[in-house]
Amino acid sequence: MFTGLSAFPLTPMNENAIDEAGFVRLIERLAAAGVDSMGVLGSTGNYAYLTRAERARMVRLAMAQAGDVPVIVGISALRTRDVLALAEDAEAAGASAVLLAPMSYQPLSEEEVFGLYEAVTARLSLPLCVYDNPGTTHFTFSDALHGRIAALPRVASIKIPGVPADPAAAGERVARLRGLIPPDVTIGVSGDAMAATGLNAGCEAWYSVIGGLFPETALAIAHAARAGKGDEALRLSQRLEPLWALFRRHGGSLRVVATAAELLGLTELPSLPLPLTTLQGRDRQALAAVLETLELA
Amino acid sequence: MFTGLSAFPLTPMNENAIDEAGFVRLIERLAAAGVDSMGVLGSTGNYAYLTRAERARMVRLAMAQAGDVPVIVGISALRTRDVLALAEDAEAAGASAVLLAPMSYQPLSEEEVFGLYEAVTARLSLPLCVYDNPGTTHFTFSDALHGRIAALPRVASIKIPGVPADPAAAGERVARLRGLIPPDVTIGVSGDAMAATGLNAGCEAWYSVIGGLFPETALAIAHAARAGKGDEALRLSQRLEPLWALFRRHGGSLRVVATAAELLGLTELPSLPLPLTTLQGRDRQALAAVLETLELA
């Protein structure tokens, strides 16, 4: 389950409500495309903006539409107590695995983060993916801490935020982490623009944002890399450079993929909760043009 | 209300419950000391770790014990929708003012943050203090944005994260911001170690963490600065250097003041929600020794 393409769909929502019909459409696309797994209620899944009850409802909707595709459920929250409750909800809903980031308001220490994973894995019956995303959690894992956490029971994968652009440096980065974790714990790359490089460098999984909206496009890259066609994977990724440029320009992938989902008619407008906003005006037109050029529209 | 010493008490809590009796004890200390205002449910008030209902309850408890001291209520949340609901709750409880930080999970743009303050102030009947605390919100205000927000209705003060240690640089920093905001909007310094420098540099208020636990100690500094005795304010602050050193060592003030509240017998143990932890072992002993030396025990 923690190998290949793991697609992370948006949870579309606005001031009126969660766009459940839009969410279901996104899940159906992933199931139809045959992604290796899907990760709901990750950062792109806007978990931080939902209540426990809303999250439980989204998990049930995803489970109902996912078919044979394993569903990994994000259980991150600011309090350990809430993480434990969300883990129970995910288990009760029949999720295949959980994903946990050290979400923070007050900056966390290494010991506090280790304590969080220790407490959660001690009570968990599902496999867990460690979610390392300093851009949103503001916690930076040391490799030593990854090693300690990966040795806990139930830990099955680490979602790393990216790899260096240089292939040799990427290989070294993955090898260094690999040397510190048990052999059965996989490493998955995120940061879509770096995914091909990460897969070529030995990451077994790609935890993918564009995979949540354009699963075929992401699968082509993942399949090329897995087949040992590293150059082809890179070529397919480099073809998407206009999209990566928009990710960089708009502070990450979320606003871009949410706007793309709107442009494709998959979700209601707007698809993000205030104060977050999707792209408007020229920025929106520029994205529409990129989707057209890349034959993603 | 947005001048002098504004004391920010801890909301003590752990895995069992909120320590309401401890919270009430802290509020009573502030009322008895005669602080100029108190700020409940700020970062030290652990707002981010509480539900809307829990926050409403804490506001009611604070209002019941605050006597004549104005109560400023933190209304920050990740969603604009939730901020508006919290503002309504604060108004309904009879709060004197509200405090709003651009809390984030996905990093926010300047326009998104302006949109948040615009939406909230348009519906608000109470004065609002802008809470600029990049260490927890991960949003950095430009001075230009402060200027735009300060011109919105109801904005009455800006809580800045600190000032440069050099008195001349601190004076320049405060003067630069002052030049961009309406004359009736006050500037308040936080970052306790820099408070005396900030008050000497022209800040009208000190939004204080130690004031929430040791109000007399903080009032002495604030009174000296207001009386034009800048050197005396600095001397009183420098006397607390062992405490500031512990703040720096433990990633900010929260864990130190929470542990101090435990050591003083004011709160239950532990007084922070997991994954946050108070100081243990040698770190705890070191704090106890510092409190003894500074005659704060």
Side-chain angles (χ1 to χ4, degrees), chain A residues 102 104 107-108 133-140, chain B residues 104-107 135-138:
Chain A
S104 72
L108 299 174
N133 186 7
T136 53
T137 65
H138 308 289
F139 179 79
T140 300
Chain B
S104 73
Y105 179 73
Q106 292 286 343
T136 54
T137 65
H138 308 290

Side-chain angles (χ1 to χ4, degrees), chain A residues 84-99:
Chain A
L84 292 170
L86 291 160
E88 281 179 22
D89 293 347
E91 289 176 340
S96 302
V98 296
L99 176 75

Side-chain angles (χ1 to χ4, degrees), chain A residues 163-240:
Chain A
V163 293
D166 175 65
E172 283 166 27
R173 194 275 163 279
V174 174
R176 194 169 58 242
L177 183 56
R178 179 90 64 214
L180 293 168
I181 64 177
D184 58 334
V185 173
T186 70
I187 300 173
V189 65
S190 48
D192 285 348
M194 296 174 256
T197 303
L199 291 167
N200 289 346
C203 289
E204 292 99 339
W206 173 15
Y207 297 109
S208 176
V209 174
I210 67 153
L213 188 59
F214 305 112
E216 283 87 358
T217 306
L219 278 168
I221 295 173
H223 287 164
R226 178 173 290 189
K229 299 176 186 171
D231 288 347
E232 173 69 358
L234 280 177
R235 190 189 65 76
L236 291 170
S237 174
Q238 280 159 3
R239 185 180 160 266
L240 301 175

Side-chain angles (χ1 to χ4, degrees), chain B residues 25 82 86 186:
Chain B
R25 272 190 288 274
D82 297 336
L86 290 160
T186 70

Side-chain angles (χ1 to χ4, degrees), chain A residues 43 105 107 112 138 255 277, chain B residues 43 47 105 107 112 138 255 277:
Chain A
S43 290
Y105 179 73
E112 287 171 340
H138 308 289
R255 289 168 186 81
T277 53
Chain B
S43 291
Y47 77 85
Y105 179 73
E112 287 171 339
H138 308 290
R255 291 167 185 79
T277 53

Side-chain angles (χ1 to χ4, degrees), chain B:
Chain B
M1 173 167 41
F2 296 110
T3 58
L5 178 71
S6 186
F8 279 64
L10 179 73
T11 308
M13 70 184 86
N14 55 42
E15 306 316 286
N16 296 321
I18 301 173
D19 176 7
E20 294 190 357
F23 180 72
V24 164
R25 272 190 288 274
L26 294 171
I27 300 295
E28 286 171 341
R29 282 164 71 94
L30 304 185
V35 296
D36 297 297
S37 66
M38 60 178 83
V40 301
L41 300 175
S43 291
T44 303
N46 282 325
Y47 77 85
Y49 304 91
L50 295 170
T51 66
R52 178 182 175 185
E54 288 169 333
R55 290 168 73 163
R57 166 112 182 119
M58 290 304 106
V59 174
R60 287 195 298 273
L61 285 176
M63 297 303 301
Q65 306 297 329
D68 295 335
V69 177
V71 177
I72 306 168
V73 174
I75 59 169
S76 311
L78 289 175
R79 289 187 68 165
T80 301
R81 181 191 69 172
D82 297 336
V83 174
L84 292 171
L86 290 160
E88 281 179 23
D89 293 347
E91 289 177 339
S96 302
V98 296
L99 176 74
L100 176 59
M103 188 187 182
S104 73
Y105 179 73
Q106 292 286 343
L108 299 174
S109 70
E110 286 224 342
E111 282 312 306
E112 287 171 339
V113 169
F114 182 76
L116 168 67
Y117 284 94
E118 194 177 36
V120 173
T121 55
R123 298 223 213 153
L124 195 68
S125 60
L126 295 175
L128 178 142
C129 178
V130 174
Y131 183 8
D132 176 357
N133 187 6
T136 54
T137 65
H138 308 290
F139 178 79
T140 300
F141 284 85
S142 67
D143 281 354
L145 180 62
H146 270 313
R148 289 177 67 199
I149 292 173
L152 291 168
R154 255 73 68 194
V155 176
S157 186
I158 304 173
K159 178 183 189 297
I160 63 172
V163 293
D166 174 63
E172 283 165 26
R173 195 274 163 280
V174 174
R176 193 169 59 243
L177 183 56
R178 180 89 64 211
L180 294 168
I181 64 177
D184 58 334
V185 173
T186 70
I187 300 174
V189 64
S190 47
D192 284 349
M194 294 174 256
T197 303
L199 292 167
N200 289 346
C203 290
E204 293 98 339
W206 173 15
Y207 296 110
S208 176
V209 174
I210 66 153
L213 188 58
F214 304 113
E216 283 87 358
T217 306
L219 278 169
I221 295 172
H223 287 162
R226 178 172 289 188
K229 301 176 185 170
D231 288 347
E232 173 69 359
L234 280 177
R235 189 189 66 75
L236 291 170
S237 173
Q238 280 159 3
R239 184 178 162 267
L240 302 176
E241 172 55 29
L243 203 54
W244 310 149
L246 291 177
F247 284 12
R248 288 192 296 272
R249 181 172 174 180
H250 296 293
S253 54
L254 180 68
R255 291 167 185 79
V256 176
V257 293
T259 309
E262 294 174 0
L263 288 168
L264 292 175
L266 294 168
T267 58
E268 288 176 14
L269 277 70
S271 58
L272 290 177
L274 290 174
L276 303 179
T277 53
T278 50
L279 309 187
Q280 304 301 326
R282 275 190 218 174
D283 290 331
R284 193 177 185 88
Q285 288 165 17
L287 172 60
V290 164
L291 296 180
E292 189 86 19
T293 304
L294 297 178
E295 299 175 328
L296 294 171

Side-chain angles (χ1 to χ4, degrees), chain A residues 1-6 37 72 99 127-132 146 150 154-160 174 177-178 180-189 199 202-207 226:
Chain A
M1 171 168 40
F2 296 110
T3 59
L5 178 70
S6 186
S37 66
I72 306 169
L99 176 75
L128 178 142
C129 178
V130 174
Y131 185 8
D132 177 357
H146 269 313
R154 254 74 69 196
V155 176
S157 186
I158 304 173
K159 178 182 188 299
I160 62 172
V174 174
L177 183 56
R178 179 90 64 214
L180 293 168
I181 64 177
D184 58 334
V185 173
T186 70
I187 300 173
V189 65
L199 291 167
C203 289
E204 292 99 339
W206 173 15
Y207 297 109
R226 178 173 290 189

